[in-house]
Amino acid sequence: MSGEATRAAGGPRPRWRSLLLVWGPLTVALLALVASGQAGAVARAIGDARVGPLLALLGVGVALPVVHARRWQTMLRSVAAEVPLPHAVEMTVTASLVNYAVPGYAGSPVKGVLARQLHDVGFGRSLPTLAAEQVLDAAALTLGAAAGLALAGPSALAWVGELDGPSWPAVLTGGAVALGGVGAAVLVVRRYAARFVERVVASGRMLAADRGRWVPVLLLTVAYWGLNIAAVWLGARAVGLTLGPVALLLLANVPLLVGLASPLPGGLGLREGAMAGIAGVIGVPVAAIVAAAVLHRGVLVAALPLALGGARLARGYGRWR
């Protein structure tokens, strides 16, 4: 009875749903890899990986959350919120680790919650900065993917002509449902969250009006994008591949964009699958790219605790001084 009462009262739900979302796509990807007959080649490529590029990749992995945190710190200053860089790095790394463990888009909300609890930065103030981060990252990846497609030429899009046309009834139905959902959300926001929305809008205006910080934010966005590009290149070098500009732009930007939009934890499975699919289209060895994707993922995740430890050491050193 107590278990039934707990479920009826909205208590803890079975964990199998979360586990399915976390491990399901990864399991499917592994099964597909085994079925393709390339699992052995991927394993050999990982086993023969070069140490030098992997160490360089680890360094890039440590730098990524630092640059990300510095950009967020800069935008927070635009909304009159001051967070020391070591603290911003800690929150950024913690949010990334949570994003790997929990289905859904948990990273940004976690940063907002931590900023409120640890530095008294209201969610209404931090929300525009968190949204701006997502927009800037998506825009950089989209421009990078577009540049790769433009350099690849029409042959890179030949597969599009083989797709079936859209089902217009389905499109219209989906559009109607989406509009209905947006309308319902607007009504709920106006009814129950008007004051919060006012704070968010005010902070968004402050962020947009602080033009003196636009250039640093854009430069940090370019630096963050460039580090992500370098990470993919180093992952490929570790397995003996040297990616040209077109292959690098496509393999670095499109899969990361897919991962950014995916509700799965860290885009697990989808990002690697996208890299394999693109490699097959542009003529890059698929087994080597899958090995590079696995190494890329593993090393960047391993770098997160190192960045967290460095931030805590920097914070402790600051207190000691």
Side-chain angles (χ1 to χ4, degrees), residues 53-79:
L54 291 179
L55 291 176
L57 177 58
L58 187 65
V60 171
V62 172
L64 276 167
V66 176
V67 174
H68 199 176
R70 183 70 177 91
R71 183 183 62 179
W72 186 41
Q73 180 196 41
T74 302
M75 288 192 286
L76 284 173
R77 287 173 174 168
S78 296
V79 297

PDB file of all heavy atoms in Angstrom, residues 53-79:
ATOM      1  N   PRO A  53      48.497  13.206 -29.317  1.00  0.00           N
ATOM      2  CA  PRO A  53      47.233  13.904 -29.580  1.00  0.00           C
ATOM      3  C   PRO A  53      46.219  13.756 -28.448  1.00  0.00           C
ATOM      4  O   PRO A  53      45.445  14.687 -28.185  1.00  0.00           O
ATOM      5  CB  PRO A  53      46.727  13.238 -30.867  1.00  0.00           C
ATOM      6  CG  PRO A  53      47.952  12.717 -31.533  1.00  0.00           C
ATOM      7  CD  PRO A  53      48.862  12.298 -30.422  1.00  0.00           C
ATOM      8  N   LEU A  54      46.233  12.616 -27.753  1.00  0.00           N
ATOM      9  CA  LEU A  54      45.296  12.438 -26.645  1.00  0.00           C
ATOM     10  C   LEU A  54      45.625  13.375 -25.487  1.00  0.00           C
ATOM     11  O   LEU A  54      44.721  13.929 -24.850  1.00  0.00           O
ATOM     12  CB  LEU A  54      45.306  10.984 -26.171  1.00  0.00           C
ATOM     13  CG  LEU A  54      44.707   9.953 -27.130  1.00  0.00           C
ATOM     14  CD1 LEU A  54      44.798   8.556 -26.537  1.00  0.00           C
ATOM     15  CD2 LEU A  54      43.249  10.294 -27.459  1.00  0.00           C
ATOM     16  N   LEU A  55      46.913  13.571 -25.216  1.00  0.00           N
ATOM     17  CA  LEU A  55      47.292  14.517 -24.161  1.00  0.00           C
ATOM     18  C   LEU A  55      46.919  15.946 -24.550  1.00  0.00           C
ATOM     19  O   LEU A  55      46.451  16.733 -23.707  1.00  0.00           O
ATOM     20  CB  LEU A  55      48.785  14.415 -23.875  1.00  0.00           C
ATOM     21  CG  LEU A  55      49.258  13.118 -23.194  1.00  0.00           C
ATOM     22  CD1 LEU A  55      50.775  13.105 -23.061  1.00  0.00           C
ATOM     23  CD2 LEU A  55      48.604  12.976 -21.822  1.00  0.00           C
ATOM     24  N   ALA A  56      47.136  16.283 -25.824  1.00  0.00           N
ATOM     25  CA  ALA A  56      46.725  17.610 -26.294  1.00  0.00           C
ATOM     26  C   ALA A  56      45.206  17.768 -26.197  1.00  0.00           C
ATOM     27  O   ALA A  56      44.705  18.831 -25.820  1.00  0.00           O
ATOM     28  CB  ALA A  56      47.195  17.823 -27.729  1.00  0.00           C
ATOM     29  N   LEU A  57      44.479  16.700 -26.523  1.00  0.00           N
ATOM     30  CA  LEU A  57      43.020  16.718 -26.419  1.00  0.00           C
ATOM     31  C   LEU A  57      42.592  16.911 -24.973  1.00  0.00           C
ATOM     32  O   LEU A  57      41.618  17.630 -24.692  1.00  0.00           O
ATOM     33  CB  LEU A  57      42.445  15.427 -26.982  1.00  0.00           C
ATOM     34  CG  LEU A  57      40.926  15.236 -26.904  1.00  0.00           C
ATOM     35  CD1 LEU A  57      40.194  16.368 -27.614  1.00  0.00           C
ATOM     36  CD2 LEU A  57      40.540  13.887 -27.512  1.00  0.00           C
ATOM     37  N   LEU A  58      43.313  16.299 -24.042  1.00  0.00           N
ATOM     38  CA  LEU A  58      43.000  16.479 -22.624  1.00  0.00           C
ATOM     39  C   LEU A  58      43.177  17.945 -22.220  1.00  0.00           C
ATOM     40  O   LEU A  58      42.361  18.500 -21.470  1.00  0.00           O
ATOM     41  CB  LEU A  58      43.904  15.580 -21.784  1.00  0.00           C
ATOM     42  CG  LEU A  58      43.609  15.525 -20.288  1.00  0.00           C
ATOM     43  CD1 LEU A  58      42.246  14.896 -20.019  1.00  0.00           C
ATOM     44  CD2 LEU A  58      44.697  14.736 -19.557  1.00  0.00           C
ATOM     45  N   GLY A  59      44.240  18.572 -22.718  1.00  0.00           N
ATOM     46  CA  GLY A  59      44.442  19.993 -22.434  1.00  0.00           C
ATOM     47  C   GLY A  59      43.320  20.856 -22.988  1.00  0.00           C
ATOM     48  O   GLY A  59      42.845  21.793 -22.324  1.00  0.00           O
ATOM     49  N   VAL A  60      42.876  20.550 -24.208  1.00  0.00           N
ATOM     50  CA  VAL A  60      41.747  21.271 -24.797  1.00  0.00           C
ATOM     51  C   VAL A  60      40.492  21.048 -23.959  1.00  0.00           C
ATOM     52  O   VAL A  60      39.708  21.974 -23.724  1.00  0.00           O
ATOM     53  CB  VAL A  60      41.520  20.819 -26.252  1.00  0.00           C
ATOM     54  CG1 VAL A  60      40.217  21.388 -26.804  1.00  0.00           C
ATOM     55  CG2 VAL A  60      42.691  21.261 -27.127  1.00  0.00           C
ATOM     56  N   GLY A  61      40.318  19.806 -23.475  1.00  0.00           N
ATOM     57  CA  GLY A  61      39.150  19.505 -22.652  1.00  0.00           C
ATOM     58  C   GLY A  61      39.122  20.289 -21.357  1.00  0.00           C
ATOM     59  O   GLY A  61      38.048  20.669 -20.876  1.00  0.00           O
ATOM     60  N   VAL A  62      40.290  20.545 -20.778  1.00  0.00           N
ATOM     61  CA  VAL A  62      40.351  21.365 -19.567  1.00  0.00           C
ATOM     62  C   VAL A  62      40.059  22.832 -19.895  1.00  0.00           C
ATOM     63  O   VAL A  62      39.418  23.554 -19.114  1.00  0.00           O
ATOM     64  CB  VAL A  62      41.735  21.222 -18.897  1.00  0.00           C
ATOM     65  CG1 VAL A  62      41.884  22.213 -17.740  1.00  0.00           C
ATOM     66  CG2 VAL A  62      41.934  19.796 -18.398  1.00  0.00           C
ATOM     67  N   ALA A  63      40.533  23.295 -21.052  1.00  0.00           N
ATOM     68  CA  ALA A  63      40.339  24.702 -21.425  1.00  0.00           C
ATOM     69  C   ALA A  63      38.895  25.018 -21.795  1.00  0.00           C
ATOM     70  O   ALA A  63      38.433  26.152 -21.577  1.00  0.00           O
ATOM     71  CB  ALA A  63      41.263  25.055 -22.590  1.00  0.00           C
ATOM     72  N   LEU A  64      38.166  24.055 -22.351  1.00  0.00           N
ATOM     73  CA  LEU A  64      36.809  24.319 -22.820  1.00  0.00           C
ATOM     74  C   LEU A  64      35.889  24.881 -21.731  1.00  0.00           C
ATOM     75  O   LEU A  64      35.261  25.932 -21.937  1.00  0.00           O
ATOM     76  CB  LEU A  64      36.210  23.043 -23.421  1.00  0.00           C
ATOM     77  CG  LEU A  64      36.554  22.762 -24.880  1.00  0.00           C
ATOM     78  CD1 LEU A  64      36.170  21.340 -25.262  1.00  0.00           C
ATOM     79  CD2 LEU A  64      35.852  23.763 -25.791  1.00  0.00           C
ATOM     80  N   PRO A  65      35.747  24.237 -20.564  1.00  0.00           N
ATOM     81  CA  PRO A  65      34.856  24.815 -19.554  1.00  0.00           C
ATOM     82  C   PRO A  65      35.355  26.141 -18.993  1.00  0.00           C
ATOM     83  O   PRO A  65      34.551  26.962 -18.529  1.00  0.00           O
ATOM     84  CB  PRO A  65      34.793  23.732 -18.465  1.00  0.00           C
ATOM     85  CG  PRO A  65      36.002  22.900 -18.672  1.00  0.00           C
ATOM     86  CD  PRO A  65      36.287  22.934 -20.133  1.00  0.00           C
ATOM     87  N   VAL A  66      36.676  26.381 -19.036  1.00  0.00           N
ATOM     88  CA  VAL A  66      37.200  27.660 -18.547  1.00  0.00           C
ATOM     89  C   VAL A  66      36.756  28.796 -19.470  1.00  0.00           C
ATOM     90  O   VAL A  66      36.290  29.853 -19.015  1.00  0.00           O
ATOM     91  CB  VAL A  66      38.736  27.598 -18.440  1.00  0.00           C
ATOM     92  CG1 VAL A  66      39.290  28.967 -18.017  1.00  0.00           C
ATOM     93  CG2 VAL A  66      39.156  26.522 -17.443  1.00  0.00           C
ATOM     94  N   VAL A  67      36.893  28.573 -20.782  1.00  0.00           N
ATOM     95  CA  VAL A  67      36.451  29.592 -21.744  1.00  0.00           C
ATOM     96  C   VAL A  67      34.939  29.779 -21.657  1.00  0.00           C
ATOM     97  O   VAL A  67      34.440  30.915 -21.692  1.00  0.00           O
ATOM     98  CB  VAL A  67      36.869  29.186 -23.167  1.00  0.00           C
ATOM     99  CG1 VAL A  67      36.292  30.150 -24.199  1.00  0.00           C
ATOM    100  CG2 VAL A  67      38.387  29.151 -23.281  1.00  0.00           C
ATOM    101  N   HIS A  68      34.219  28.678 -21.538  1.00  0.00           N
ATOM    102  CA  HIS A  68      32.762  28.742 -21.417  1.00  0.00           C
ATOM    103  C   HIS A  68      32.368  29.553 -20.185  1.00  0.00           C
ATOM    104  O   HIS A  68      31.461  30.405 -20.241  1.00  0.00           O
ATOM    105  CB  HIS A  68      32.211  27.319 -21.326  1.00  0.00           C
ATOM    106  CG  HIS A  68      30.769  27.213 -21.653  1.00  0.00           C
ATOM    107  ND1 HIS A  68      30.094  26.012 -21.716  1.00  0.00           N
ATOM    108  CD2 HIS A  68      29.835  28.156 -21.924  1.00  0.00           C
ATOM    109  CE1 HIS A  68      28.838  26.225 -22.023  1.00  0.00           C
ATOM    110  NE2 HIS A  68      28.647  27.519 -22.147  1.00  0.00           N
ATOM    111  N   ALA A  69      33.035  29.281 -19.062  1.00  0.00           N
ATOM    112  CA  ALA A  69      32.725  29.986 -17.820  1.00  0.00           C
ATOM    113  C   ALA A  69      33.097  31.461 -17.905  1.00  0.00           C
ATOM    114  O   ALA A  69      32.382  32.334 -17.378  1.00  0.00           O
ATOM    115  CB  ALA A  69      33.459  29.324 -16.659  1.00  0.00           C
ATOM    116  N   ARG A  70      34.205  31.768 -18.567  1.00  0.00           N
ATOM    117  CA  ARG A  70      34.612  33.183 -18.699  1.00  0.00           C
ATOM    118  C   ARG A  70      33.580  33.961 -19.503  1.00  0.00           C
ATOM    119  O   ARG A  70      33.273  35.119 -19.178  1.00  0.00           O
ATOM    120  CB  ARG A  70      35.980  33.242 -19.390  1.00  0.00           C
ATOM    121  CG  ARG A  70      36.527  34.661 -19.506  1.00  0.00           C
ATOM    122  CD  ARG A  70      36.920  35.188 -18.139  1.00  0.00           C
ATOM    123  NE  ARG A  70      37.502  36.512 -18.238  1.00  0.00           N
ATOM    124  CZ  ARG A  70      36.819  37.651 -18.154  1.00  0.00           C
ATOM    125  NH1 ARG A  70      35.516  37.610 -17.959  1.00  0.00           N
ATOM    126  NH2 ARG A  70      37.432  38.803 -18.238  1.00  0.00           N
ATOM    127  N   ARG A  71      33.030  33.356 -20.541  1.00  0.00           N
ATOM    128  CA  ARG A  71      31.997  34.036 -21.319  1.00  0.00           C
ATOM    129  C   ARG A  71      30.761  34.269 -20.477  1.00  0.00           C
ATOM    130  O   ARG A  71      30.154  35.351 -20.515  1.00  0.00           O
ATOM    131  CB  ARG A  71      31.651  33.212 -22.556  1.00  0.00           C
ATOM    132  CG  ARG A  71      30.630  33.875 -23.475  1.00  0.00           C
ATOM    133  CD  ARG A  71      30.262  32.998 -24.637  1.00  0.00           C
ATOM    134  NE  ARG A  71      29.627  31.756 -24.225  1.00  0.00           N
ATOM    135  CZ  ARG A  71      29.196  30.821 -25.072  1.00  0.00           C
ATOM    136  NH1 ARG A  71      29.353  30.967 -26.376  1.00  0.00           N
ATOM    137  NH2 ARG A  71      28.634  29.730 -24.620  1.00  0.00           N
ATOM    138  N   TRP A  72      30.359  33.256 -19.704  1.00  0.00           N
ATOM    139  CA  TRP A  72      29.177  33.406 -18.847  1.00  0.00           C
ATOM    140  C   TRP A  72      29.403  34.477 -17.792  1.00  0.00           C
ATOM    141  O   TRP A  72      28.517  35.288 -17.521  1.00  0.00           O
ATOM    142  CB  TRP A  72      28.864  32.060 -18.190  1.00  0.00           C
ATOM    143  CG  TRP A  72      27.577  32.052 -17.406  1.00  0.00           C
ATOM    144  CD1 TRP A  72      26.396  32.627 -17.769  1.00  0.00           C
ATOM    145  CD2 TRP A  72      27.354  31.452 -16.132  1.00  0.00           C
ATOM    146  NE1 TRP A  72      25.428  32.406 -16.803  1.00  0.00           N
ATOM    147  CE2 TRP A  72      26.008  31.677 -15.793  1.00  0.00           C
ATOM    148  CE3 TRP A  72      28.154  30.719 -15.267  1.00  0.00           C
ATOM    149  CZ2 TRP A  72      25.450  31.214 -14.595  1.00  0.00           C
ATOM    150  CZ3 TRP A  72      27.602  30.247 -14.079  1.00  0.00           C
ATOM    151  CH2 TRP A  72      26.267  30.504 -13.755  1.00  0.00           C
ATOM    152  N   GLN A  73      30.604  34.507 -17.212  1.00  0.00           N
ATOM    153  CA  GLN A  73      30.930  35.529 -16.223  1.00  0.00           C
ATOM    154  C   GLN A  73      30.807  36.926 -16.832  1.00  0.00           C
ATOM    155  O   GLN A  73      30.284  37.855 -16.202  1.00  0.00           O
ATOM    156  CB  GLN A  73      32.349  35.303 -15.702  1.00  0.00           C
ATOM    157  CG  GLN A  73      32.796  36.326 -14.669  1.00  0.00           C
ATOM    158  CD  GLN A  73      34.308  36.300 -14.468  1.00  0.00           C
ATOM    159  OE1 GLN A  73      35.074  36.177 -15.436  1.00  0.00           O
ATOM    160  NE2 GLN A  73      34.739  36.423 -13.224  1.00  0.00           N
ATOM    161  N   THR A  74      31.271  37.071 -18.070  1.00  0.00           N
ATOM    162  CA  THR A  74      31.189  38.365 -18.749  1.00  0.00           C
ATOM    163  C   THR A  74      29.741  38.784 -18.957  1.00  0.00           C
ATOM    164  O   THR A  74      29.378  39.949 -18.734  1.00  0.00           O
ATOM    165  CB  THR A  74      31.911  38.285 -20.100  1.00  0.00           C
ATOM    166  OG1 THR A  74      33.271  37.896 -19.891  1.00  0.00           O
ATOM    167  CG2 THR A  74      31.882  39.631 -20.811  1.00  0.00           C
ATOM    168  N   MET A  75      28.881  37.843 -19.361  1.00  0.00           N
ATOM    169  CA  MET A  75      27.474  38.184 -19.566  1.00  0.00           C
ATOM    170  C   MET A  75      26.764  38.457 -18.247  1.00  0.00           C
ATOM    171  O   MET A  75      25.878  39.322 -18.176  1.00  0.00           O
ATOM    172  CB  MET A  75      26.777  37.063 -20.342  1.00  0.00           C
ATOM    173  CG  MET A  75      27.192  36.992 -21.800  1.00  0.00           C
ATOM    174  SD  MET A  75      26.134  35.922 -22.811  1.00  0.00           S
ATOM    175  CE  MET A  75      26.677  34.311 -22.239  1.00  0.00           C
ATOM    176  N   LEU A  76      27.135  37.753 -17.183  1.00  0.00           N
ATOM    177  CA  LEU A  76      26.529  38.013 -15.878  1.00  0.00           C
ATOM    178  C   LEU A  76      26.828  39.438 -15.412  1.00  0.00           C
ATOM    179  O   LEU A  76      25.989  40.078 -14.767  1.00  0.00           O
ATOM    180  CB  LEU A  76      27.021  37.005 -14.851  1.00  0.00           C
ATOM    181  CG  LEU A  76      26.419  35.598 -14.919  1.00  0.00           C
ATOM    182  CD1 LEU A  76      27.125  34.671 -13.938  1.00  0.00           C
ATOM    183  CD2 LEU A  76      24.919  35.638 -14.612  1.00  0.00           C
ATOM    184  N   ARG A  77      28.009  39.931 -15.726  1.00  0.00           N
ATOM    185  CA  ARG A  77      28.342  41.304 -15.350  1.00  0.00           C
ATOM    186  C   ARG A  77      27.441  42.308 -16.041  1.00  0.00           C
ATOM    187  O   ARG A  77      27.178  43.390 -15.511  1.00  0.00           O
ATOM    188  CB  ARG A  77      29.807  41.591 -15.679  1.00  0.00           C
ATOM    189  CG  ARG A  77      30.782  40.897 -14.739  1.00  0.00           C
ATOM    190  CD  ARG A  77      32.215  41.048 -15.187  1.00  0.00           C
ATOM    191  NE  ARG A  77      33.136  40.487 -14.201  1.00  0.00           N
ATOM    192  CZ  ARG A  77      34.430  40.266 -14.423  1.00  0.00           C
ATOM    193  NH1 ARG A  77      34.951  40.588 -15.618  1.00  0.00           N
ATOM    194  NH2 ARG A  77      35.198  39.748 -13.489  1.00  0.00           N
ATOM    195  N   SER A  78      26.955  41.951 -17.217  1.00  0.00           N
ATOM    196  CA  SER A  78      26.044  42.850 -17.934  1.00  0.00           C
ATOM    197  C   SER A  78      24.709  42.982 -17.220  1.00  0.00           C
ATOM    198  O   SER A  78      23.994  43.969 -17.424  1.00  0.00           O
ATOM    199  CB  SER A  78      25.811  42.333 -19.362  1.00  0.00           C
ATOM    200  OG  SER A  78      27.004  42.347 -20.114  1.00  0.00           O
ATOM    201  N   VAL A  79      24.341  41.990 -16.403  1.00  0.00           N
ATOM    202  CA  VAL A  79      23.069  42.056 -15.659  1.00  0.00           C
ATOM    203  C   VAL A  79      23.329  42.322 -14.179  1.00  0.00           C
ATOM    204  O   VAL A  79      22.537  41.944 -13.315  1.00  0.00           O
ATOM    205  CB  VAL A  79      22.256  40.765 -15.855  1.00  0.00           C
ATOM    206  CG1 VAL A  79      21.872  40.600 -17.313  1.00  0.00           C
ATOM    207  CG2 VAL A  79      23.009  39.534 -15.358  1.00  0.00           C
TER     208      VAL A  79
END
